[in-house]
Amino acid sequence: MITLIYDGSFDGLLTAVFEVFEYRYKDVEIVNKERFHQENIFAEIHETITQNDKSERVFNKLEQNIGRSGVHQLLKVFLSEDPELERLILSAVRQSIQHPEANILQNYADNDMLKISKICKSVDRERHRMTAFVRFEKMQDGVFFAKIDPDFDVLPLIRKHFKDRYQDQKWMIYDLRRNYGILYDLEDCEFFYPEEKLDLHQYEQKFHDEEQNYQTLWQRYFTKTNIVERKNLKLHVQHVPKRYWKYLTEKW
C-alpha cells in the first residue's frame, strides 16, 4: 500500500489524484496530512506537493467527462469532510476516465457512486438550513454578524446566496467549528481566516444597543404568541432541528 499525503486543500487532493495516474499507483490511499497517523513503519509514504498545473489538468478532465454539475458534486463530497472523501473522489476520477461516455455519478449500482449521491443530498440539506436559519446581529461598528456551526463545511456553498441577498449592508458569517468566515464590505465578499478562535464573550460585549433591544422585544413576542395548548414539539423539531435553535433569537 502506498500512502499519498496532501495538504488538505482541494487543489492538493487533485494533485495527489494526478500523481496516482502519473506514477501508476494501483494499491494506494490518499490521506489529509492532518489526519495521517503512520501505523506501519514499513509503509511507503509519498508526500504530495500541491501543484496548480496538475490539479487543473485533473479538474479540466473531470469537467470534460462528468460536466460542471458532476464536478460540483465532487466539491460537495470534499466539503462534507467525510472520512472517505479522498477514496470516493479518486474512485469517481478513475471511473470517469474508464467510462468517459457514461454519466458515472448516476450509476447507483456502484457503492461509491451511491455514497457520493447520499453525501451530496446531506450537504445540500445543510446548505439550505444555513440559508434559512442564519441570524445576523448588529454590532457597534454597524456590521451585521452571524455565527454558525454546520455539520459540513458549507460556507463556500452559501456565500453567493448571502452576497446576492444582502448587498446593501456590511456583514460577516463566521464558522465556529472551522474558525473561518466570510466578510462582505459592500464591494468585495471574501473569506477570512483569523489566527485565533472567536471569543464569544468579547463578541457579545460588542452588540449594538439596537440589537440588544431588538432581541428583548423578539423574545417577548415569541413568548406571547406561543400557545401552549397548540404546542407540537415533534413537528417543530422536524422542521427546525434543535441543533439549529442556537441561531434563532426566539430560542435563547
Short mmCIF file of all heavy atoms in Angstrom, two decimals, residues 4-50:
data_model
loop_
_atom_site.label_atom_id
_atom_site.label_comp_id
_atom_site.label_asym_id
_atom_site.label_seq_id
_atom_site.Cartn_x
_atom_site.Cartn_y
_atom_site.Cartn_z
N LEU A 4 -0.39 8.49 -0.11
CA LEU A 4 -0.09 9.84 -0.57
C LEU A 4 -0.63 10.83 0.46
O LEU A 4 -1.82 10.80 0.78
CB LEU A 4 -0.73 10.12 -1.93
CG LEU A 4 0.06 9.70 -3.18
CD1 LEU A 4 0.15 8.19 -3.27
CD2 LEU A 4 -0.59 10.26 -4.44
N ILE A 5 0.25 11.68 0.97
CA ILE A 5 -0.14 12.68 1.96
C ILE A 5 -0.28 14.03 1.25
O ILE A 5 0.62 14.44 0.52
CB ILE A 5 0.92 12.81 3.08
CG1 ILE A 5 1.29 11.43 3.64
CG2 ILE A 5 0.42 13.72 4.19
CD1 ILE A 5 0.13 10.69 4.25
N TYR A 6 -1.40 14.71 1.47
CA TYR A 6 -1.58 16.03 0.84
C TYR A 6 -1.96 17.06 1.91
O TYR A 6 -2.22 16.71 3.06
CB TYR A 6 -2.63 15.98 -0.27
CG TYR A 6 -4.05 15.89 0.20
CD1 TYR A 6 -4.92 16.99 0.11
CD2 TYR A 6 -4.58 14.70 0.73
CE1 TYR A 6 -6.24 16.91 0.53
CE2 TYR A 6 -5.90 14.62 1.15
CZ TYR A 6 -6.72 15.72 1.05
OH TYR A 6 -8.02 15.64 1.48
N ASP A 7 -1.98 18.33 1.52
CA ASP A 7 -2.09 19.42 2.50
C ASP A 7 -3.51 19.73 2.97
O ASP A 7 -3.73 20.66 3.74
CB ASP A 7 -1.46 20.70 1.92
CG ASP A 7 -2.17 21.19 0.66
OD1 ASP A 7 -3.21 20.61 0.28
OD2 ASP A 7 -1.68 22.16 0.04
N GLY A 8 -4.50 18.97 2.52
CA GLY A 8 -5.87 19.19 2.97
C GLY A 8 -6.68 20.11 2.09
O GLY A 8 -7.89 20.27 2.30
N SER A 9 -6.06 20.71 1.06
CA SER A 9 -6.78 21.58 0.14
C SER A 9 -7.35 20.77 -1.01
O SER A 9 -6.88 19.66 -1.30
CB SER A 9 -5.85 22.67 -0.41
OG SER A 9 -4.86 22.09 -1.27
N PHE A 10 -8.33 21.33 -1.71
CA PHE A 10 -8.91 20.63 -2.86
C PHE A 10 -7.89 20.52 -3.98
O PHE A 10 -7.79 19.48 -4.64
CB PHE A 10 -10.16 21.36 -3.34
CG PHE A 10 -10.96 20.57 -4.35
CD1 PHE A 10 -11.55 19.36 -4.00
CD2 PHE A 10 -11.11 21.02 -5.64
CE1 PHE A 10 -12.29 18.62 -4.92
CE2 PHE A 10 -11.84 20.30 -6.58
CZ PHE A 10 -12.43 19.10 -6.22
N ASP A 11 -7.11 21.59 -4.18
CA ASP A 11 -6.04 21.53 -5.19
C ASP A 11 -5.01 20.47 -4.81
O ASP A 11 -4.47 19.78 -5.68
CB ASP A 11 -5.36 22.90 -5.34
CG ASP A 11 -6.17 23.84 -6.21
OD1 ASP A 11 -6.94 23.35 -7.05
OD2 ASP A 11 -6.02 25.06 -6.05
N GLY A 12 -4.72 20.36 -3.52
CA GLY A 12 -3.77 19.35 -3.07
C GLY A 12 -4.28 17.95 -3.33
O GLY A 12 -3.53 17.06 -3.74
N LEU A 13 -5.59 17.75 -3.10
CA LEU A 13 -6.19 16.45 -3.35
C LEU A 13 -6.13 16.11 -4.84
O LEU A 13 -5.78 14.98 -5.22
CB LEU A 13 -7.63 16.44 -2.86
CG LEU A 13 -8.46 15.19 -3.17
CD1 LEU A 13 -7.78 13.92 -2.66
CD2 LEU A 13 -9.85 15.32 -2.59
N LEU A 14 -6.47 17.06 -5.70
CA LEU A 14 -6.43 16.80 -7.13
C LEU A 14 -5.01 16.57 -7.61
O LEU A 14 -4.78 15.77 -8.54
CB LEU A 14 -7.06 17.97 -7.90
CG LEU A 14 -8.56 18.19 -7.69
CD1 LEU A 14 -9.09 19.24 -8.66
CD2 LEU A 14 -9.34 16.89 -7.86
N THR A 15 -4.04 17.23 -6.99
CA THR A 15 -2.63 16.97 -7.32
C THR A 15 -2.27 15.53 -6.98
O THR A 15 -1.61 14.83 -7.76
CB THR A 15 -1.70 17.93 -6.56
OG1 THR A 15 -2.02 19.28 -6.89
CG2 THR A 15 -0.24 17.67 -6.91
N ALA A 16 -2.73 15.07 -5.81
CA ALA A 16 -2.47 13.69 -5.41
C ALA A 16 -3.13 12.71 -6.37
O ALA A 16 -2.55 11.68 -6.73
CB ALA A 16 -2.97 13.46 -3.98
N VAL A 17 -4.35 13.02 -6.79
CA VAL A 17 -5.05 12.17 -7.76
C VAL A 17 -4.24 12.10 -9.07
O VAL A 17 -4.08 11.03 -9.65
CB VAL A 17 -6.47 12.71 -8.04
CG1 VAL A 17 -7.09 12.00 -9.24
CG2 VAL A 17 -7.35 12.54 -6.80
N PHE A 18 -3.74 13.23 -9.51
CA PHE A 18 -2.91 13.26 -10.73
C PHE A 18 -1.71 12.34 -10.58
O PHE A 18 -1.37 11.58 -11.50
CB PHE A 18 -2.44 14.70 -11.00
CG PHE A 18 -1.62 14.84 -12.25
CD1 PHE A 18 -2.21 15.17 -13.46
CD2 PHE A 18 -0.23 14.66 -12.22
CE1 PHE A 18 -1.45 15.30 -14.62
CE2 PHE A 18 0.53 14.78 -13.37
CZ PHE A 18 -0.07 15.10 -14.57
N GLU A 19 -1.07 12.39 -9.41
CA GLU A 19 0.14 11.59 -9.21
C GLU A 19 -0.16 10.10 -9.09
O GLU A 19 0.71 9.28 -9.36
CB GLU A 19 0.90 12.12 -7.99
CG GLU A 19 1.46 13.52 -8.25
CD GLU A 19 2.25 14.09 -7.10
OE1 GLU A 19 2.22 13.50 -5.99
OE2 GLU A 19 2.92 15.13 -7.29
N VAL A 20 -1.37 9.76 -8.69
CA VAL A 20 -1.76 8.35 -8.71
C VAL A 20 -1.64 7.80 -10.13
O VAL A 20 -1.12 6.70 -10.36
CB VAL A 20 -3.20 8.16 -8.18
CG1 VAL A 20 -3.69 6.74 -8.47
CG2 VAL A 20 -3.26 8.45 -6.69
N PHE A 21 -2.09 8.58 -11.10
CA PHE A 21 -2.02 8.17 -12.50
C PHE A 21 -0.62 8.38 -13.07
O PHE A 21 -0.13 7.57 -13.87
CB PHE A 21 -3.04 8.93 -13.33
CG PHE A 21 -4.46 8.58 -13.00
CD1 PHE A 21 -5.17 9.29 -12.04
CD2 PHE A 21 -5.09 7.52 -13.64
CE1 PHE A 21 -6.48 8.96 -11.72
CE2 PHE A 21 -6.40 7.18 -13.33
CZ PHE A 21 -7.09 7.89 -12.37
N GLU A 22 0.03 9.46 -12.64
CA GLU A 22 1.37 9.76 -13.15
C GLU A 22 2.35 8.65 -12.82
O GLU A 22 3.16 8.24 -13.66
CB GLU A 22 1.85 11.10 -12.57
CG GLU A 22 3.24 11.52 -13.05
CD GLU A 22 3.69 12.83 -12.44
OE1 GLU A 22 3.12 13.23 -11.38
OE2 GLU A 22 4.60 13.46 -13.01
N TYR A 23 2.28 8.16 -11.59
CA TYR A 23 3.22 7.11 -11.15
C TYR A 23 2.60 5.71 -11.23
O TYR A 23 3.21 4.75 -10.80
CB TYR A 23 3.68 7.40 -9.72
CG TYR A 23 4.39 8.74 -9.58
CD1 TYR A 23 3.87 9.75 -8.77
CD2 TYR A 23 5.57 8.98 -10.27
CE1 TYR A 23 4.52 10.98 -8.65
CE2 TYR A 23 6.22 10.21 -10.16
CZ TYR A 23 5.69 11.20 -9.35
OH TYR A 23 6.32 12.41 -9.23
N ARG A 24 1.38 5.66 -11.77
CA ARG A 24 0.69 4.38 -12.00
C ARG A 24 0.57 3.55 -10.71
O ARG A 24 0.80 2.34 -10.71
CB ARG A 24 1.40 3.58 -13.10
CG ARG A 24 1.44 4.33 -14.42
CD ARG A 24 2.05 3.48 -15.52
NE ARG A 24 2.04 4.23 -16.79
CZ ARG A 24 2.49 3.74 -17.94
NH1 ARG A 24 2.98 2.50 -18.01
NH2 ARG A 24 2.46 4.48 -19.04
N TYR A 25 0.19 4.24 -9.64
CA TYR A 25 -0.04 3.54 -8.39
C TYR A 25 -1.35 2.74 -8.49
O TYR A 25 -2.35 3.24 -9.01
CB TYR A 25 -0.15 4.52 -7.23
CG TYR A 25 1.12 5.26 -6.90
CD1 TYR A 25 1.09 6.61 -6.53
CD2 TYR A 25 2.36 4.63 -6.94
CE1 TYR A 25 2.25 7.30 -6.21
CE2 TYR A 25 3.53 5.31 -6.63
CZ TYR A 25 3.47 6.65 -6.26
OH TYR A 25 4.62 7.32 -5.95
N LYS A 26 -1.34 1.55 -8.01
CA LYS A 26 -2.53 0.71 -8.00
C LYS A 26 -3.13 0.60 -6.59
O LYS A 26 -4.23 1.05 -6.33
CB LYS A 26 -2.19 -0.69 -8.55
CG LYS A 26 -1.67 -0.67 -9.99
CD LYS A 26 -2.72 -0.11 -10.95
CE LYS A 26 -2.20 -0.12 -12.39
NZ LYS A 26 -3.17 0.49 -13.33
N ASP A 27 -2.36 0.00 -5.69
CA ASP A 27 -2.80 -0.15 -4.30
C ASP A 27 -2.39 1.12 -3.56
O ASP A 27 -1.26 1.24 -3.07
CB ASP A 27 -2.16 -1.39 -3.68
CG ASP A 27 -2.75 -1.71 -2.30
OD1 ASP A 27 -3.82 -1.16 -1.98
OD2 ASP A 27 -2.12 -2.49 -1.57
N VAL A 28 -3.31 2.09 -3.48
CA VAL A 28 -2.93 3.42 -3.00
C VAL A 28 -4.06 4.03 -2.17
O VAL A 28 -5.24 3.70 -2.36
CB VAL A 28 -2.60 4.34 -4.20
CG1 VAL A 28 -3.82 4.52 -5.09
CG2 VAL A 28 -2.06 5.68 -3.74
N GLU A 29 -3.70 4.87 -1.24
CA GLU A 29 -4.67 5.67 -0.48
C GLU A 29 -4.17 7.10 -0.41
O GLU A 29 -2.96 7.35 -0.40
CB GLU A 29 -4.88 5.11 0.93
CG GLU A 29 -3.65 5.18 1.81
CD GLU A 29 -3.92 4.76 3.25
OE1 GLU A 29 -5.11 4.59 3.60
OE2 GLU A 29 -2.95 4.62 4.03
N ILE A 30 -5.10 8.04 -0.37
CA ILE A 30 -4.77 9.45 -0.24
C ILE A 30 -5.28 9.93 1.11
O ILE A 30 -6.44 9.70 1.46
CB ILE A 30 -5.41 10.28 -1.38
CG1 ILE A 30 -4.97 9.76 -2.74
CG2 ILE A 30 -5.05 11.76 -1.23
CD1 ILE A 30 -5.67 10.43 -3.91
N VAL A 31 -4.40 10.60 1.87
CA VAL A 31 -4.76 10.98 3.24
C VAL A 31 -4.38 12.44 3.49
O VAL A 31 -3.27 12.87 3.15
CB VAL A 31 -4.04 10.08 4.27
CG1 VAL A 31 -4.44 10.46 5.69
CG2 VAL A 31 -4.32 8.61 4.01
N ASN A 32 -5.30 13.18 4.09
CA ASN A 32 -5.04 14.53 4.55
C ASN A 32 -3.96 14.46 5.64
O ASN A 32 -4.07 13.67 6.58
CB ASN A 32 -6.33 15.13 5.12
CG ASN A 32 -6.19 16.58 5.54
OD1 ASN A 32 -5.11 17.04 5.93
ND2 ASN A 32 -7.29 17.30 5.50
N LYS A 33 -2.93 15.28 5.53
CA LYS A 33 -1.81 15.19 6.48
C LYS A 33 -2.24 15.44 7.92
O LYS A 33 -1.61 14.96 8.86
CB LYS A 33 -0.69 16.16 6.09
CG LYS A 33 -1.03 17.63 6.22
CD LYS A 33 0.17 18.50 5.86
CE LYS A 33 -0.13 19.99 6.02
NZ LYS A 33 1.04 20.83 5.65
N GLU A 34 -3.35 16.19 8.11
CA GLU A 34 -3.83 16.44 9.47
C GLU A 34 -4.44 15.20 10.10
O GLU A 34 -4.55 15.10 11.31
CB GLU A 34 -4.86 17.58 9.44
CG GLU A 34 -4.27 18.93 9.07
CD GLU A 34 -5.29 20.03 9.16
OE1 GLU A 34 -6.47 19.73 9.45
OE2 GLU A 34 -4.93 21.20 8.94
N ARG A 35 -4.86 14.25 9.27
CA ARG A 35 -5.46 13.02 9.79
C ARG A 35 -4.53 11.82 9.66
O ARG A 35 -4.91 10.70 9.99
CB ARG A 35 -6.76 12.72 9.04
CG ARG A 35 -7.83 13.76 9.20
CD ARG A 35 -9.21 13.19 8.87
NE ARG A 35 -9.25 12.63 7.52
CZ ARG A 35 -9.66 13.27 6.44
NH1 ARG A 35 -10.04 14.52 6.55
NH2 ARG A 35 -9.68 12.69 5.26
N PHE A 36 -3.31 12.05 9.21
CA PHE A 36 -2.40 10.94 8.95
C PHE A 36 -1.71 10.47 10.22
O PHE A 36 -1.14 11.26 10.97
CB PHE A 36 -1.34 11.35 7.92
CG PHE A 36 -0.30 10.28 7.68
CD1 PHE A 36 -0.65 9.07 7.10
CD2 PHE A 36 1.02 10.49 8.05
CE1 PHE A 36 0.30 8.09 6.88
CE2 PHE A 36 1.97 9.52 7.83
CZ PHE A 36 1.61 8.31 7.24
N HIS A 37 -1.77 9.17 10.47
CA HIS A 37 -1.06 8.54 11.58
C HIS A 37 -0.39 7.28 11.02
O HIS A 37 -1.07 6.33 10.64
CB HIS A 37 -2.01 8.16 12.71
CG HIS A 37 -2.76 9.33 13.28
ND1 HIS A 37 -2.16 10.25 14.11
CD2 HIS A 37 -4.04 9.73 13.14
CE1 HIS A 37 -3.06 11.16 14.45
NE2 HIS A 37 -4.21 10.87 13.86
N GLN A 38 0.92 7.30 10.98
CA GLN A 38 1.63 6.16 10.40
C GLN A 38 1.68 5.01 11.41
O GLN A 38 2.35 5.09 12.44
CB GLN A 38 3.04 6.56 9.98
CG GLN A 38 3.77 5.43 9.25
CD GLN A 38 5.07 5.90 8.63
OE1 GLN A 38 5.38 7.08 8.66
NE2 GLN A 38 5.83 4.98 8.05
N GLU A 39 0.96 3.95 11.09
CA GLU A 39 0.93 2.78 11.97
C GLU A 39 1.93 1.73 11.52
O GLU A 39 2.47 0.99 12.34
CB GLU A 39 -0.49 2.19 11.99
CG GLU A 39 -1.52 3.16 12.56
CD GLU A 39 -2.91 2.60 12.50
OE1 GLU A 39 -3.09 1.50 11.93
OE2 GLU A 39 -3.84 3.25 13.02
N ASN A 40 2.17 1.65 10.24
CA ASN A 40 3.12 0.67 9.69
C ASN A 40 4.40 1.39 9.30
O ASN A 40 4.43 2.18 8.36
CB ASN A 40 2.50 -0.02 8.48
CG ASN A 40 3.41 -1.11 7.91
OD1 ASN A 40 4.53 -1.31 8.38
ND2 ASN A 40 2.93 -1.80 6.89
N ILE A 41 5.48 1.12 10.03
CA ILE A 41 6.74 1.83 9.77
C ILE A 41 7.35 1.43 8.43
O ILE A 41 8.24 2.10 7.91
CB ILE A 41 7.77 1.57 10.90
CG1 ILE A 41 8.09 0.07 10.99
CG2 ILE A 41 7.27 2.11 12.21
CD1 ILE A 41 9.21 -0.24 11.97
N PHE A 42 6.86 0.32 7.84
CA PHE A 42 7.39 -0.13 6.56
C PHE A 42 6.52 0.34 5.39
O PHE A 42 6.82 0.03 4.24
CB PHE A 42 7.48 -1.67 6.53
CG PHE A 42 8.38 -2.22 7.59
CD1 PHE A 42 7.85 -2.86 8.71
CD2 PHE A 42 9.76 -2.10 7.50
CE1 PHE A 42 8.67 -3.37 9.70
CE2 PHE A 42 10.59 -2.61 8.48
CZ PHE A 42 10.05 -3.25 9.59
N ALA A 43 5.46 1.08 5.71
CA ALA A 43 4.57 1.55 4.64
C ALA A 43 5.30 2.58 3.78
O ALA A 43 6.14 3.35 4.26
CB ALA A 43 3.32 2.17 5.24
N GLU A 44 4.98 2.59 2.49
CA GLU A 44 5.60 3.54 1.57
C GLU A 44 4.79 4.83 1.57
O GLU A 44 3.62 4.85 1.23
CB GLU A 44 5.66 2.96 0.16
CG GLU A 44 6.41 3.84 -0.83
CD GLU A 44 6.59 3.18 -2.18
OE1 GLU A 44 6.34 1.97 -2.28
OE2 GLU A 44 6.98 3.89 -3.13
N ILE A 45 5.45 5.93 1.97
CA ILE A 45 4.79 7.22 2.08
C ILE A 45 5.28 8.14 0.97
O ILE A 45 6.48 8.24 0.71
CB ILE A 45 5.07 7.88 3.44
CG1 ILE A 45 4.76 6.92 4.59
CG2 ILE A 45 4.29 9.18 3.58
CD1 ILE A 45 3.33 6.48 4.66
N HIS A 46 4.34 8.78 0.31
CA HIS A 46 4.67 9.75 -0.73
C HIS A 46 4.00 11.07 -0.37
O HIS A 46 2.78 11.14 -0.26
CB HIS A 46 4.19 9.26 -2.10
CG HIS A 46 4.39 10.25 -3.20
ND1 HIS A 46 5.54 10.32 -3.96
CD2 HIS A 46 3.58 11.23 -3.68
CE1 HIS A 46 5.43 11.28 -4.86
NE2 HIS A 46 4.24 11.85 -4.70
N GLU A 47 4.78 12.11 -0.15
CA GLU A 47 4.21 13.42 0.20
C GLU A 47 3.97 14.23 -1.06
O GLU A 47 4.89 14.53 -1.82
CB GLU A 47 5.14 14.19 1.14
CG GLU A 47 4.53 15.51 1.61
CD GLU A 47 5.33 16.18 2.70
OE1 GLU A 47 6.33 15.59 3.16
OE2 GLU A 47 4.94 17.29 3.12
N THR A 48 2.72 14.58 -1.28
CA THR A 48 2.33 15.35 -2.46
C THR A 48 2.47 16.84 -2.20
O THR A 48 1.97 17.35 -1.20
CB THR A 48 0.87 15.04 -2.85
OG1 THR A 48 0.78 13.68 -3.27
CG2 THR A 48 0.41 15.93 -3.99
N ILE A 49 3.17 17.52 -3.08
CA ILE A 49 3.29 18.98 -3.03
C ILE A 49 2.27 19.56 -4.00
O ILE A 49 2.28 19.22 -5.20
CB ILE A 49 4.70 19.45 -3.42
CG1 ILE A 49 5.76 18.75 -2.55
CG2 ILE A 49 4.80 20.97 -3.28
CD1 ILE A 49 5.62 18.98 -1.07
N THR A 50 1.38 20.40 -3.51
CA THR A 50 0.33 20.95 -4.34
C THR A 50 0.90 21.70 -5.53
O THR A 50 1.75 22.59 -5.37
CB THR A 50 -0.58 21.89 -3.53
OG1 THR A 50 -1.16 21.15 -2.45
CG2 THR A 50 -1.68 22.49 -4.40
#
